[in-house]
Amino acid sequence: METIENFERKQAEDLVRKRVKAVRNFYIHLCIYAVGLAVYVAKQYYGVQFFKPIGDINTFIMVIWTVIIVWDTVKVFVIAMIFGKKWEARKIKELTQNKEQKQIWK
């Protein structure tokens, strides 16, 4: 039984690491987006001139980038609320019970 507990603990640690990495990556992406948005607003509304690559940020790029940020937000936070730890624990329990039941019949 000790090995099963170690496995479950390791699995839980892996899930937590994945979750923390996803949230960290989201915040990094959000910070980069904020800088890009500030450059876009400065260019569009205040006429500030930037060097060539940054000066090419247009409305289409910002709309696409905003959609990606919204999708990341849904993926990291909303789906995590729906399929949170309780859901994961229930699914793990179901799968382990199904595996045990299959082994009994063999």
Side-chain angles (χ1 to χ4, degrees):
M1 285 297 180
E2 187 173 307
T3 58
I4 293 174
E5 291 173 2
N6 287 340
F7 176 74
E8 288 176 353
R9 187 173 358 151
K10 185 175 185 276
Q11 191 177 20
E13 288 174 1
D14 289 342
L15 289 173
V16 169
R17 281 191 184 104
K18 286 179 185 179
R19 174 92 173 112
V20 168
K21 186 176 180 180
V23 171
R24 181 179 154 264
N25 288 340
F26 169 75
Y27 283 126
I28 289 170
H29 189 193
L30 190 63
C31 288
I32 294 169
Y33 173 75
V35 170
L37 186 63
V39 167
Y40 173 74
V41 167
K43 179 184 158 232
Q44 284 297 115
Y45 296 105
Y46 299 113
V48 177
Q49 296 296 322
F50 295 99
F51 59 93
K52 186 67 175 160
I54 293 179
D56 289 338
I57 294 177
N58 60 18
T59 306
F60 179 74
I61 291 171
M62 291 310 296
V63 167
I64 296 299
W65 202 355
T66 303
V67 169
I68 292 170
I69 286 290
V70 169
W71 173 250
D72 277 351
T73 305
V74 167
K75 187 172 68 175
V76 170
F77 295 109
V78 176
I79 291 177
M81 284 190 293
I82 295 170
F83 298 111
K85 289 185 183 249
K86 290 179 183 178
W87 179 83
E88 289 173 2
R90 189 176 71 240
K91 281 297 178 187
I92 290 170
K93 187 175 180 181
E94 278 180 23
L95 292 173
T96 55
Q97 286 177 350
N98 288 342
K99 187 175 180 181
E100 288 172 1
Q101 288 174 355
K102 289 179 185 177
Q103 288 178 352
I104 290 173
W105 290 103
K106 284 187 176 182

